[in-house]
Amino acid sequence: MPFSLSRFLCMLIAGMSVAGCSHMPVTSMIKLSRMDILETNPAAIRIAVRTPNHMRVMPDSALIIMAGIINSKQKGGSTQPEISETFVLKKSPEHTLPPELAKEQKAYTLIEIFRLPPEAILRWARFRNNFKMLESQHGDDMEGSMSITAASCNLGTSSDKTDTKKKSYLVTIYLKPSSQEDFFPFLRDVDLKKEADLEPLTKNLTACPSQE
């Protein structure tokens, strides 16, 4: 069974859980269902996040979490992963947005690109080998999952409440699974104001570090 990205997806921003599928374009669902992320070159994988200008992705908070789970029927109803690996994404050195992301750039927004650092590539390969070993033992009972988490911060100070209710909190995630693929929307226009009450949301948005 291929390692399908559409198996599970979640994004966490400012402590607020966002269900992925309700914000995932249908075309992206189809593309993800046909994709085996473990067969791609991990060095080419990119994640991009579009946030309003007053928000940023906190350093070292963008994560990819991979897991291999044996079907619960084989484990007496257990949902605990057999194997799991967490990868911390780093800001990518690209200074120019590719055309498909440049078209996604809107007024008063910022798009940041993240990638797996070199030290994570070997761990990715190790996870892939372990997953395939378990898959050879359990066949179609072996299932894969991938989740993405990130924490956001506010460029203003924690005491800055100016026009809080008027600020945009729309966030979009894009995925580039290989060097041959363009970025495409993973989650589009998640409105954090609708996903959580505005007051808890703003309380959880801590001030960004002075140096990112």
Side-chain angles (χ1 to χ4, degrees), residues 116-130:
L116 290 167
E119 61 268 21
I121 304 302
L122 288 177
R123 290 195 298 114
W124 185 282
R126 183 177 62 197
F127 174 87
R128 177 176 56 202
N129 292 338
N130 290 338

Side-chain angles (χ1 to χ4, degrees), residues 159-204:
S159 60
D160 180 15
K161 305 297 182 182
T162 306
D163 293 328
T164 295
K165 293 184 179 180
K166 296 181 180 179
K167 288 181 178 179
S168 169
Y169 290 91
L170 291 177
V171 175
T172 296
I173 292 183
Y174 308 89
L175 170 67
K176 180 180 175 66
S178 71
S179 58
Q180 288 76 38
E181 298 267 358
D182 288 342
F183 281 94
F184 62 88
F186 215 4
L187 301 177
R188 181 176 286 285
D189 290 338
V190 179
D191 190 344
L192 300 185
K193 287 194 292 187
K194 293 181 179 179
E195 298 291 337
D197 292 335
L198 181 61
E199 185 176 355
L201 172 63
T202 55
K203 285 182 179 179
N204 279 302

Side-chain angles (χ1 to χ4, degrees), residues 1-144:
M1 175 180 289
F3 194 104
S4 174
L5 275 71
S6 61
R7 170 77 181 146
F8 173 72
L9 173 64
C10 171
M11 183 181 180
L12 186 68
I13 291 188
M16 304 299 169
S17 293
V18 178
C21 288
S22 62
H23 297 280
M24 187 183 295
V26 174
T27 54
S28 297
M29 289 184 184
I30 295 173
K31 184 173 292 190
L32 292 172
S33 68
R34 297 172 177 171
M35 186 182 301
D36 187 346
I37 192 67
L38 290 183
E39 294 302 322
T40 65
N41 177 7
I45 295 174
R46 298 289 186 274
I47 300 293
V49 183
R50 185 180 68 194
T51 60
N53 272 345
H54 63 90
M55 293 169 58
R56 293 293 187 274
V57 176
M58 286 279 285
D60 296 332
S61 76
L63 311 174
I64 292 180
I65 304 170
M66 308 288 282
I69 304 169
I70 297 176
N71 191 296
S72 60
K73 292 180 180 179
Q74 299 293 108
K75 299 291 289 182
S78 172
T79 57
Q80 295 298 316
E82 292 292 318
I83 53 173
S84 179
E85 195 77 46
T86 298
F87 302 92
V88 180
L89 300 169
K90 300 294 185 180
K91 285 277 295 280
S92 185
E94 290 103 334
H95 297 293
T96 303
L97 294 178
E100 68 273 17
L101 283 184
K103 292 189 295 185
E104 293 282 319
Q105 184 79 68
K106 297 181 179 180
Y108 308 111
T109 66
L110 175 78
I111 296 179
E112 298 177 277
I113 300 176
F114 300 86
R115 66 172 182 173
L116 290 167
E119 61 268 21
I121 304 302
L122 288 177
R123 290 195 298 114
W124 185 282
R126 183 177 62 197
F127 174 87
R128 177 176 56 202
N129 292 338
N130 290 338
F131 182 89
K132 289 187 176 298
M133 180 184 67
L134 288 171
E135 186 181 38
S136 68
Q137 297 172 3
H138 299 280
D140 288 345
D141 289 328
M142 191 67 188
E143 298 176 344

